């Protein structure tokens, strides 16, 4: 019988070095003998990538918070059913750049929808499927904004361009998830790339032990 793979989501505000760390984490897990599928949200499947264009492109006023939350939930549903679940079922590990906690933080805490409503959408769309571990990379919000601005050359998308208090509400939401849910771990994203990778690996070491 195939042992189900593990599902890890990586979260954190813009500019915290997620992409670099995801690549480092994947390389380590592969070296341990597992197959790893890297994916992202919104996106990961053809349908979800189409929704990504809709939800991240266009003017700031394009979507009101409820429609936006439904679009993210729809993208996630396609992603879970067509990519994440089949990969896990065949023993692969899945690392997703963002997942449900982004909806809870951005559409919930940031835009004022309740966590219960976001989780109801997640139940309908994706049977409430949660990661085995969620790693939240955190940096001082100003430092993160500077890094993101340099990277994006100030071409912020619909959500990145929101005011600083929106992004600090998002950050506080991730902190509160970590306080209440053992699956969610905060990881300090300051320091060298290797230092941060070591901190991340420490938070998933138990998942790599044989069952
Ligand atoms: P993206 O360009 O992928 O980059 P990054 O993760 O580096 O910020 O941006 C995705 C954006 O979508 C980001 O601003 C967070 C937002 N988002 C939500 O608001 N809700 C969600 O459920 C997800 C998955 C993302």
């Amino acid at each position: 019988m195939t042992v189900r793979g593990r599902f890890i989501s990586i979260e954190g505000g813009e500019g915290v070095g997620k992409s670099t760390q995801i690549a480092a984490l994947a390389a380590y897990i592969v070296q341990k003998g597992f197959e790893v599928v890297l994916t992202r949200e919104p996106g990961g499947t053809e349908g979800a990538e189409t929704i990504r264009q809709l939800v991240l492109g266009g003017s700031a006023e394009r979507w009101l918070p409820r429609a936006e939350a439904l679009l993210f939930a729809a993208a996630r549903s396609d992603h879970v059913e067509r990519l994440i679940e089949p990969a896990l079922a065949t023993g692969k590990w899945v690392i997703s750049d963002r997942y449900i906690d982004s909806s809870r933080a951005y559409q919930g805490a940031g835009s004022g929808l309740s966590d219960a409503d976001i989780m109801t959408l997640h139940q309908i769309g994706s049977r409430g499927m949660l990661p085995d571990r969620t790693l939240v990379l955190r940096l001082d919000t100003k430092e993160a904004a500077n890094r993101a601005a340099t990277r994006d050359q100030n071409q912020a998308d619909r959500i990145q361009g929101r005011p600083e208090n929106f992004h600090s509400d998002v950050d506080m939401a991730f902190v509160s998830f970590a306080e209440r849910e053992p699956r969610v771990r905060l990881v300090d994203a300051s320091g060298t790339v290797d230092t941060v990778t070591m901190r991340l690996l420490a938070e998933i070491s138990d998942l790599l032990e044989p069952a």
Side-chain angles (χ1 to χ4, degrees):
M1 203 188 78
T2 312
V3 178
R4 187 177 160 86
R6 300 291 198 170
F7 177 26
I8 300 174
S9 63
I10 313 288
E11 300 280 0
E14 282 88 16
V16 296
K18 281 202 313 272
S19 314
T20 309
Q21 293 301 334
I22 287 170
L25 213 52
Y28 183 85
I29 297 167
V30 166
Q31 196 200 317
K32 290 278 171 190
F34 299 99
E35 267 190 80
V36 177
V37 175
L38 294 182
T39 187
R40 69 166 181 184
E41 288 206 344
T45 58
E46 195 186 330
E49 291 289 337
T50 304
I51 296 175
R52 180 186 178 93
Q53 307 294 323
L54 287 174
V55 83
L56 295 185
S59 70
E61 302 75 34
R62 188 180 204 179
W63 307 105
L64 295 174
R66 287 168 194 282
E68 187 178 285
L70 285 159
L71 286 168
F72 278 112
R76 183 163 302 122
S77 174
D78 198 63
H79 190 208
V80 168
E81 289 210 79
R82 294 181 194 260
L83 188 144
I84 300 176
E85 276 293 359
L88 296 173
T90 52
K92 293 176 184 142
W93 284 49
V94 175
I95 304 179
S96 184
D97 181 345
R98 299 188 178 278
Y99 187 66
I100 181 62
D101 300 298
S102 277
S103 284
R104 299 170 70 198
Y106 287 76
Q107 284 66 53
S111 299
L113 302 193
S114 75
D115 197 51
D117 281 352
I118 301 287
M119 291 310 284
T120 298
L121 295 183
H122 187 47
Q123 187 60 42
I124 296 166
S126 305
R127 300 183 180 87
M129 212 264 279
L130 294 175
D132 294 296
R133 191 71 29 94
T134 297
L135 305 172
V136 183
L137 282 164
R138 287 186 74 235
L139 263 190
D140 168 73
T141 40
K142 279 214 183 68
E143 191 182 331
N146 288 341
R147 280 205 208 175
T150 313
R151 181 197 60 186
D152 301 336
Q153 296 174 321
N154 298 313
Q155 297 286 308
D157 65 34
R158 276 188 66 248
I159 291 173
Q160 282 159 355
R162 289 177 188 172
E164 197 173 309
N165 66 339
F166 175 88
H167 292 288
S168 58
D169 287 349
V170 164
D171 183 55
M172 288 316 297
F174 284 120
V175 173
S176 76
F177 304 154
E179 279 166 359
R180 281 175 282 140
E181 298 168 52
R183 144 185 89 81
V184 183
R185 309 284 170 85
L186 301 179
V187 177
D188 176 5
S190 68
T192 66
V193 170
D194 286 351
T195 311
V196 179
T197 305
M198 294 308 287
R199 290 185 193 127
L200 290 168
L201 291 176
E203 297 296 344
I204 62 157
S205 59
D206 58 316
L207 300 180
L208 286 154
E209 302 296 328

